[in-house]
């Protein structure tokens, strides 16, 4: 890695930790892939952050152990397996050009989701099982291709009107499962090199540091302001990503 790549990867690990620590929700993680795709091949950037996402998941999982909704997970997880398999197959054949476009489109969807999510509370909704299948499949597909699977999953859970702690617990376990599903797929498709990951051992402590910072400053930083900053950075990252095509 070049010094610039190492710096951005360190920032990526910090953003992952901040998100798992509760600061900014899914927005910091959504910024990671388009940011790294600016300085390396997108097909290298997407799988490269996966071990660090899994590492961060375990910190979040300990904090929200057994706080999930098992019935919702039964709908989401089987479809997520299909989505992860499809995403892995697409990632192995898609060109870097089209992958960057895909990452940009998914990142735009994150921005759109954030702009409309506050209005979901007023939506009249009647649940159907296939909604869960669709949410699980699309979330895993987007997560596998671009690490930006949060919007469809979050919208689905918001419509279920679950309590906040159950919401976070369900999200934590679901994304832990999705990330673990992606790992053997990436290895089998030769998208993730163990030697490359081990060379980045120095970045691992940055993840729990980010989690600690996220939890510490959550009560002192205006969440709305932080999310707006993340939105601006996401928008700029998409513009720069498309400019590199």
């Amino acid at each position: 890695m070049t010094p610039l790549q190492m710096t951005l990867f360190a920032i990526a690990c910090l953003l992952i930790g901040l998100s798992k620590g509760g600061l900014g929700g899914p927005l910091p993680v959504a910024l990671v892939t388009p940011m790294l795709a600016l300085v390396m091949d997108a097909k290298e950037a997407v799988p490269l952050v996966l071990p660090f996402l899994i590492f961060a998941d375990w910190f979040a999982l300990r904090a929200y152990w057994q706080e999930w909704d098992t019935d919702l997970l039964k709908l989401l997880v089987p479809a997520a397996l299909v989505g992860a398999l499809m995403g892995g197959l697409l990632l192995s054949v898609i060109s870097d050009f089209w992958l960057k476009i895909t990452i940009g489109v998914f990142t735009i969807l994150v921005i759109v989701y954030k702009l409309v999510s506050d209005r979901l509370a007023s939506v009249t909704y009647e649940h159907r099982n296939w909604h869960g299948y669709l949410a699980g499949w699309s979330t895993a597909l987007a997560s596998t291709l671009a690490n930006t699977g949060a919007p469809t999953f979050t919208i689905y859970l918001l419509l279920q009107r679950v309590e906040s702690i159950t919401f976070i617990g369900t999200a934590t376990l679901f994304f832990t499962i999705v990330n673990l599903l992606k790992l053997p797929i990436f290895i089998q498709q030769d998208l993730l090199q163990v030697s490359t990951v081990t060379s980045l051992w120095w970045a691992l402590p940055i993840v729990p540091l980010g989690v600690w910072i996220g939890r510490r400053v959550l009560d002192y930083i205006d969440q709305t302001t932080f999310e707006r900053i993340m939105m601006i950075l996401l928008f700029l990252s998409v513009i720069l990503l498309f400019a590199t095509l």
Side-chain angles (χ1 to χ4, degrees):
M1 278 190 167
T2 66
L4 177 59
Q5 288 173 328
M6 293 177 68
T7 300
L8 289 182
F9 194 80
I11 294 173
C13 290
L14 183 63
L15 289 171
I16 290 170
L18 290 175
S19 178
K20 298 300 181 180
L23 191 60
L27 296 180
V29 171
L31 180 59
V32 167
T33 302
M35 179 183 68
L36 291 177
L38 294 173
V39 294
M40 63 178 66
D41 288 344
K43 294 183 74 168
E44 180 183 2
V46 171
L48 192 58
V49 299
L50 179 60
F52 296 86
L53 286 170
I54 293 173
F55 183 57
D57 284 335
W58 291 111
F59 287 93
L61 200 61
R62 287 186 62 184
Y64 299 102
W65 186 254
Q66 293 186 341
E67 297 290 354
W68 46 76
D69 187 315
T70 304
D71 291 333
L72 288 178
L73 288 169
K74 287 178 180 178
L75 294 177
L76 291 161
V77 172
L81 174 58
V82 178
L85 288 170
M86 290 178 63
L89 290 173
L90 286 171
L91 195 60
S92 66
V93 298
I94 194 172
S95 68
D96 194 69
F97 173 84
W98 285 108
L99 182 56
K100 283 187 175 182
I101 290 179
T102 302
I103 291 170
V105 169
F106 279 136
T107 305
I108 291 172
L109 289 177
V110 173
I111 298 172
V112 172
Y113 143 73
K114 193 58 188 175
L115 291 173
V116 303
S117 61
D118 293 337
R119 303 177 185 177
L120 292 176
S122 61
V123 173
T124 302
Y125 173 72
E126 186 175 351
H127 180 261
R128 295 287 186 272
N129 284 348
W130 68 266
H131 299 168
Y133 303 146
L134 179 62
W137 170 80
S138 59
T139 298
L141 179 66
S143 180
T144 305
L145 285 172
N147 291 319
T148 54
T152 50
F153 174 86
T154 305
I155 289 171
Y156 175 70
L157 251 66
L158 285 174
L159 291 172
Q160 308 310 309
R161 308 288 194 265
V162 297
E163 295 181 0
S164 58
I165 190 70
T166 304
F167 184 107
I168 299 172
T170 304
T172 298
L173 180 56
F174 178 74
F175 280 102
T176 300
I177 293 171
V178 169
N179 287 330
L180 288 173
L181 287 173
K182 288 154 56 177
L183 186 60
I185 295 172
F186 283 176
I187 293 175
Q188 193 276 330
Q189 296 285 353
D190 202 28
L191 297 169
L192 183 63
Q193 301 293 330
V194 176
S195 58
T196 304
V197 175
T198 54
S199 69
L200 296 170
W201 63 269
W202 55 269
L204 275 177
I206 300 176
V207 175
L209 174 64
V211 175
W212 181 82
I213 293 173
R215 287 174 176 270
R216 279 285 192 173
V217 305
L218 195 58
D219 296 330
Y220 303 100
I221 290 182
D222 179 37
Q223 185 85 335
T224 302
T225 301
F226 181 80
E227 289 180 359
R228 286 174 180 170
I229 293 172
M230 288 291 103
M231 293 270 284
I232 293 171
L233 291 176
L234 279 169
F235 183 71
L236 290 175
S237 69
V238 171
I239 294 174
L240 292 173
L241 186 64
F242 286 157
T244 64
L245 295 175

